[in-house]
Amino acid sequence: MTAARGLFFKHGFEKVSTDMLVKEAAVSKATLYRNFANMNDVLKSVAEAEVMRFTADTPPQIRSLCDLRTALSEFGTRLLSFLNLPDTVQFVRLIHEEARDNPEVGRLFYHAAHAKTLENISQIFRRAQEQRLVFSGADAPDIAEDFLALLEGLGIIRVQLGVCCLPCDDIEKRVIRAVATILAAHACGGAAHQI
């Protein structure tokens, strides 16, 4: 995985062959194919490993609004800190460039990274709904997507376009604003539901 990640950074996904990968990883092709079906499977595994870098080891316990606020704040801080890492920025740029010529790379990356992140945060909102902390009328994945949009804003787009170097200037401020906004809109007793 480390060898694949390094080669993808250096050469781009499309230019990395199985021969290059087995040489860099110092393994046989048989070992490679015992663990991965093809190079797309390697990319998927690399993307999933990237997501694991900012995902909590154990799901948070959500029993109160305070627990929910803490879980969302911790998740947001881990995610934005990860997205602000220079190698993450480089990896995202690489995937976007590769996806232009190979849409399958884009699909693989989306499902391995973005969809998994969405599912992780959706689980937090489902637990909050079970505890009646968040209104159950809204779909947890929709709330999660709104929360991710509030966290990320246009940061990745600015980086992609070369407007800035990092997606988020002030992580703490952005997380506080995103958590407050999502709770105001969806928490039982939130401002939006008191009108």
Side-chain angles (χ1 to χ4, degrees), residues 60-68 127-128 130-133:
Q61 294 295 319
I62 309 294
R63 294 186 198 105
S64 68
L65 196 54
C66 183
D67 290 344
L68 177 58
R127 286 189 199 98
E130 290 166 4
Q131 295 295 320
R132 302 183 197 278
L133 301 170

Side-chain angles (χ1 to χ4, degrees), residues 138-149:
D139 189 40
D142 288 342
I143 300 170
E145 189 168 338
D146 292 346
F147 182 60
L148 289 171

Side-chain angles (χ1 to χ4, degrees), residues 108-141:
L108 279 170
F109 184 73
Y110 174 81
H111 289 291
H114 297 285
K116 286 211 184 286
T117 301
L118 181 63
E119 180 53 33
N120 288 340
I121 195 67
S122 294
Q123 288 177 8
I124 292 174
F125 286 114
R126 281 189 203 100
R127 286 189 199 98
Q129 287 175 325
E130 290 166 4
Q131 295 295 320
R132 302 183 197 278
L133 301 170
V134 172
F135 285 98
S136 58
D139 189 40

Side-chain angles (χ1 to χ4, degrees), residues 4-169:
R5 187 176 185 274
L7 288 171
F8 294 158
F9 277 124
K10 186 174 181 180
H11 303 287
F13 174 72
E14 286 296 319
K15 293 180 181 156
V16 176
S17 67
T18 55
D19 289 333
M20 290 171 70
L21 182 53
V22 297
K23 182 179 178 185
E24 183 73 19
V27 298
S28 68
K29 277 192 179 181
T31 300
L32 176 68
Y33 286 118
R34 195 173 24 250
N35 292 288
F36 304 101
N38 53 39
M39 288 301 287
N40 283 350
D41 196 28
V42 173
L43 175 63
K44 177 181 175 233
S45 295
V46 169
E48 287 172 346
E50 292 296 299
V51 171
M52 294 306 294
R53 288 176 59 192
F54 70 84
T55 303
D57 293 336
T58 57
Q61 294 295 319
I62 309 294
R63 294 186 198 105
S64 68
L65 196 54
C66 183
D67 290 344
L68 177 58
R69 183 180 309 278
T70 299
L72 295 175
S73 296
E74 289 174 356
F75 180 92
T77 300
R78 283 192 311 271
L79 174 64
L80 293 182
S81 296
F82 173 75
L83 291 177
N84 259 18
L85 293 172
D87 63 334
T88 301
V89 170
Q90 182 183 353
F91 192 69
V92 170
R93 280 185 176 146
L94 170 75
I95 293 299
H96 283 256
E97 290 169 12
E98 296 285 344
R100 260 192 317 234
D101 296 328
N102 185 350
E104 182 61 19
V105 168
R107 281 189 287 279
L108 279 170
F109 184 73
Y110 174 81
H111 289 291
H114 297 285
K116 286 211 184 286
T117 301
L118 181 63
E119 180 53 33
N120 288 340
I121 195 67
S122 294
Q123 288 177 8
I124 292 174
F125 286 114
R126 281 189 203 100
R127 286 189 199 98
Q129 287 175 325
E130 290 166 4
Q131 295 295 320
R132 302 183 197 278
L133 301 170
V134 172
F135 285 98
S136 58
D139 189 40
D142 288 342
I143 300 170
E145 189 168 338
D146 292 346
F147 182 60
L148 289 171
L150 288 166
L151 284 171
E152 295 178 17
L154 296 175
I156 295 294
I157 293 171
R158 283 192 290 269
V159 168
Q160 291 297 316
L161 296 174
V163 175
C164 61
C165 295
L166 296 175
C168 186
D169 294 351

